[in-house]
Amino acid sequence: RHGGGAFDTLPGRARVSWIGGAMRRVASSHSIDDFGEDLDSFVTLSSFILTATEVCPSLAAKGHIKKEEETDLCILLQSVATSCKYIQNCVRKLGLANLSGKNGGTTNVQGEQQMKLDVIAHDVFTRGLDESKRCTMLISEEEEEAIMCTSSPNGRYVCVFDPLDGSSNIDCCVSVGSIFGVYRVVPTLGTGEGDGVAQCTQPARSQLAAGYAHHSGATTLVLAVGDEGSAVEFVLDDDTGAFVVAADGAPLRCPKRGQIYSLNDARFDDWPEGLRSYVTDARRGENQTGEQYSARYVCSLVGDFHRTMKYGGWCGNPRPHLRLQFEVAPLAFVARAAGAVATDGLREDLMANERGPTAAHERTPLFVGSVDDVAELLTYGDVRQVAKTYAL
């Protein structure tokens, strides 16, 4: 049984990459008969990352010009994947290992009460990235300040992450996830490489890679690498401990149209007129498609986002509640790779914004999903709710 370590490539497996939607396979040195299975359908995350970093022109454009830099990015992403495996194991053992419930009344930087797994997931990501020796600093939704990685003060990368999205649902076994984005250290930003605020508040478009893990009936990891890369879905194989390309082998693509909107309908009376009008028309089928839409809402951003990428429509939050750098920017990067679009209700595409947040924990509204659905939503004018705090 494979132990699921940092490098989980299995011997003899075919390698694959998706660039601009085109699939390229690298021949295996073994025949299928050697293993008695379809090797083309068994492509690990490790082999994908190695190939993707080799053939993405945008990585060279963003400063990746040396082979060792490609290797460093591979190691960093492997560290993230290993952290996601560890968190998945904790989620599965929630009720068996005293991991459920609140963390003794502690709160995070946003003043939200932390669950035990919030703290564990943060520690797992932080330790994994530090021990990868490729990340020079990181910043988490759970901490106010950027954290310098003592093991690699001259590392090439900055990582931002929400270690456990949807944790308020964890005790009732609703799906949760982890979200991450990777940037390159830019020595000219702010006061230099040691300026944690400047390094961790780069615009979403500057990301080299981003993705999320979705812990549900199965654990999946969706990853996008480079500006030309597609979003690729991997499933954690319990038998090998490896993340393996999903069975259909195709990149994750969001339909241009769906028939689902996803947000908390209980806030209807607090919404601006534009958003209320859109939802009313969607419910009645008095929209551009003439079809009645359905509402689906998990209140776990990764869960709602993953469903939207699969089935189309859009999901989000109209009030400035989601963290731009830890949740919205990485998901906007993945959405673009999947042929979808993300907006804050003002800009048509967050990935076109040349400015990053003014503060590491800046919040924003989010509407993300099918290109035609989001475009129709924006024709209704004001769809952004004013800031408001709710008990639940």
Side-chain angles (χ1 to χ4, degrees):
R1 182 183 175 90
H2 191 271
F7 291 92
D8 55 8
T9 306
L10 301 182
R13 302 301 186 187
R15 292 198 302 164
V16 64
S17 68
W18 288 268
I19 302 301
M23 184 168 67
R24 187 186 81 173
R25 293 190 182 275
V26 181
S28 169
S29 59
H30 297 277
S31 70
I32 292 176
D33 293 338
D34 292 337
F35 297 91
E37 59 188 6
D38 181 5
L39 298 187
D40 277 353
S41 67
F42 204 106
V43 181
T44 66
L45 176 67
S46 299
S47 55
F48 167 78
I49 292 173
L50 287 167
T51 305
T53 55
E54 288 171 358
V55 297
C56 279
S58 66
L59 294 183
K62 291 180 178 179
H64 281 259
I65 56 175
K66 299 179 180 178
K67 183 66 178 178
E68 60 264 28
E69 293 178 341
E70 296 174 357
T71 302
D72 283 356
L73 183 58
C74 291
I75 294 171
L76 180 68
L77 292 174
Q78 287 288 355
S79 170
V80 171
T82 301
S83 296
C84 292
K85 292 178 190 178
Y86 189 100
I87 293 168
Q88 179 265 352
N89 195 42
C90 292
V91 170
R92 291 179 61 180
K93 294 180 178 178
L94 183 73
L96 301 175
N98 193 29
L99 297 176
S100 60
K102 295 180 173 60
N103 189 56
T106 62
T107 59
N108 62 15
V109 64
Q110 286 85 22
E112 300 166 337
Q113 199 159 42
Q114 291 177 308
M115 308 297 286
K116 290 179 182 178
L117 273 187
D118 281 321
V119 177
I120 292 171
H122 167 80
D123 290 345
V124 168
F125 260 92
T126 300
R127 182 177 299 179
L129 288 167
D130 183 49
E131 292 182 354
S132 75
K133 295 182 173 56
R134 300 303 185 277
C135 182
T136 192
M137 70 180 66
L138 54 92
I139 191 164
S140 165
E141 180 182 310
E142 302 298 324
E143 292 283 345
E144 184 172 2
E145 304 291 340
I147 300 170
M148 298 297 297
C149 295
T150 56
S151 65
S152 52
N154 299 314
R156 296 184 172 95
Y157 303 105
V158 176
C159 193
V160 299
F161 56 91
D162 178 357
L164 193 66
D165 171 72
S167 60
S168 62
N169 288 320
I170 189 68
D171 284 356
C172 61
C173 298
V174 172
S175 62
V176 295
S178 302
I179 307 171
F180 60 91
V182 180
Y183 296 84
R184 197 176 196 276
V185 171
V186 181
T188 56
L189 280 180
T191 59
E193 295 183 20
D195 188 336
V197 174
Q199 299 297 338
C200 295
T201 54
Q202 298 181 49
R205 63 187 297 173
S206 296
Q207 291 175 104
L208 301 175
Y212 62 90
H214 182 216
H215 308 294
S216 185
T219 293
T220 60
L221 189 147
V222 176
L223 177 66
V225 180
D227 291 340
E228 305 85 2
S230 296
V232 182
E233 181 182 9
F234 302 85
V235 179
L236 184 59
D237 180 9
D238 289 336
D239 289 335
T240 64
F243 277 110
V244 180
V245 170
D248 60 7
L252 183 63
R253 299 296 294 176
C254 180
K256 289 191 69 176
R257 273 280 186 188
Q259 207 169 330
I260 298 170
Y261 71 89
S262 178
L263 74 173
N264 191 340
D265 265 349
R267 316 299 188 215
F268 185 92
D269 292 338
D270 293 333
W271 295 342
E273 180 59 32
L275 185 56
R276 291 201 305 268
S277 297
Y278 169 87
V279 169
T280 299
D281 288 349
R283 290 170 175 173
R284 296 172 176 172
E286 297 174 357
N287 50 14
Q288 292 178 3
T289 66
E291 301 286 343
Q292 286 184 292
Y293 276 43
S294 294
R296 298 284 187 274
Y297 183 62
V298 179
C299 195
S300 174
L301 180 58
V302 166
D304 285 318
F305 180 87
H306 192 64
R307 182 199 58 247
T308 300
M309 293 301 103
K310 289 278 193 178
Y311 304 143
W314 64 270
C315 68
N317 194 322
R319 63 191 172 106
H321 177 70
L322 300 175
R323 290 77 175 173
L324 176 56
Q325 209 65 347
F326 310 117
E327 298 169 306
V328 173
L331 293 184
F333 189 92
V334 174
R336 182 186 65 176
V341 66
T343 175
D344 61 3
L346 294 177
R347 303 174 184 85
E348 291 186 359
D349 183 359
L350 283 171
M351 288 300 296
N353 188 10
E354 296 182 356
R355 294 185 178 183
T358 57
H361 292 270
E362 181 177 322
R363 297 189 188 221
T364 181
L366 173 67
F367 307 89
V368 59
S370 298
V371 171
D372 290 348
D373 282 310
V374 173
E376 180 180 359
L377 170 67
L378 294 179
T379 66
Y380 281 77
D382 185 12
V383 294
R384 292 161 52 105
Q385 181 188 339
V386 297
K388 184 175 181 178
T389 301
Y390 298 96
L392 291 174

